[in-house]
Amino acid sequence: MASASYDARRGELTTYFDRTAVEAWSRLTSDAPVSKVRATVRAGRDAMRGTLLSWLPADMTGLRLLDAGCGTGALSVEAAKRGAEVVAIDVSPTLIGLARERLPAIAGAGRIDFRVGDMLDPVLGRFDHVVAMDSLIHYRAADIARALARLAERTDNSVLFTVAPRTALLTVMHAAGKLFPRGDRSPAIVPVTERGLKRRIAAERALDGFAWAQSHRVNSGFYLSNAVALTRSASR
């Protein structure tokens, strides 16, 4: 069961992405001109998406992927082009609508099932891989670890996710609330330390079969995020 703090923050994110900043995120996730600040965020997101995709198999034919917090679906499309059966879920009906509108023709066996809802919903079924790109960065470390445990219970190979690293600059930036203009500023990003997150993950029994395989930080102007790969041991 998700915690009350997880549920409360998810509600805030739904309001933000579905009402407050629809236009800003629509432009950010497209090729439309954006400000210099948002251009650095766009470049950082592109780089992070490339990192996460590089940790997935080049041929995903027959594999099932959960894109947890898919936004407008860019990562889902790339995975489907590799042959994956993708379940792409997001809390925002508006972003899912944009994802469906932007969906290109995909040759081969790959397909995408876009859904609105909670990425932790067990009804979504089992997966070979899960990717949560920048969808956990608004949660406390304890809630992140619990969410990873819920996802891991239904994942056979890897859980790839990103967190906001606790650096002096990022802490000051978000304390000052200057990532975006006040009118469309997102709910606070919660920086976490690697040591603290590893401790939380180690305490989750559902993650006992997973190893912290690799991590990679992307720093692009106003975008700073750390990717982590948890992989299930072959002995399972």
Side-chain angles (χ1 to χ4, degrees):
M1 180 180 295
S3 68
S5 57
Y6 173 89
D7 290 337
R9 181 48 59 97
R10 187 186 63 192
E12 293 173 7
L13 293 171
T14 301
T15 299
Y16 170 71
F17 285 109
D18 209 44
R19 303 175 192 173
T20 308
V22 172
E23 180 60 27
W25 279 88
S26 175
R27 293 180 66 84
L28 181 68
T29 57
S30 71
D31 295 326
V34 291
S35 69
K36 290 182 179 180
V37 168
R38 287 195 173 90
T40 67
V41 175
R42 177 187 284 170
R45 286 174 56 82
D46 289 346
M48 180 57 77
R49 188 182 312 111
T51 293
L52 295 170
L53 286 167
S54 74
W55 293 350
L56 293 170
D59 182 358
M60 299 188 70
T61 303
L63 299 181
R64 199 161 187 257
L65 171 77
L66 175 64
D67 188 355
C70 66
T72 54
L75 188 145
S76 296
V77 169
E78 294 305 313
K81 287 179 178 178
R82 297 183 185 186
E85 176 188 339
V86 182
V87 174
I89 190 164
D90 200 277
V91 295
S92 168
T94 300
L95 292 184
I96 290 296
L98 285 171
R100 288 172 175 152
E101 290 174 10
R102 296 175 181 179
L103 181 63
I106 297 174
R111 66 185 185 87
I112 306 175
D113 177 11
F114 285 114
R115 301 190 191 186
V116 177
D118 183 3
M119 61 185 174
L120 303 186
D121 191 341
V123 172
L124 299 175
R126 293 200 66 82
F127 297 91
D128 295 284
H129 301 277
V130 171
V131 179
M133 176 179 153
D134 293 349
S135 51
L136 295 172
I137 60 176
H138 301 280
Y139 296 92
R140 302 179 310 163
D143 286 334
I144 292 174
R146 280 191 288 265
L148 293 173
R150 292 278 302 279
L151 293 170
E153 288 172 341
R154 298 179 286 111
T155 306
D156 293 328
N157 292 309
S158 71
V159 178
L160 314 180
F161 64 99
T162 64
V163 295
R166 183 175 292 172
T167 65
L169 177 60
L170 188 63
T171 300
V172 169
M173 282 171 53
H174 291 286
K178 293 182 178 178
L179 182 59
F180 288 118
R182 184 173 302 277
D184 58 10
R185 188 178 304 156
S186 68
I189 289 172
V190 183
V192 300
T193 65
E194 182 172 305
R195 181 177 180 181
L197 184 60
K198 283 183 174 179
R199 185 175 65 250
R200 296 280 189 180
I201 287 174
E204 294 289 341
R205 293 183 62 86
L207 293 168
D208 284 350
F210 283 80
W212 185 295
Q214 57 184 322
S215 64
H216 177 74
R217 184 170 296 183
V218 173
N219 190 346
S220 172
F222 280 77
Y223 181 90
L224 176 60
S225 190
N226 204 80
V228 177
L230 300 181
T231 58
R232 190 179 286 279
S233 64
S235 61
R236 181 178 183 271

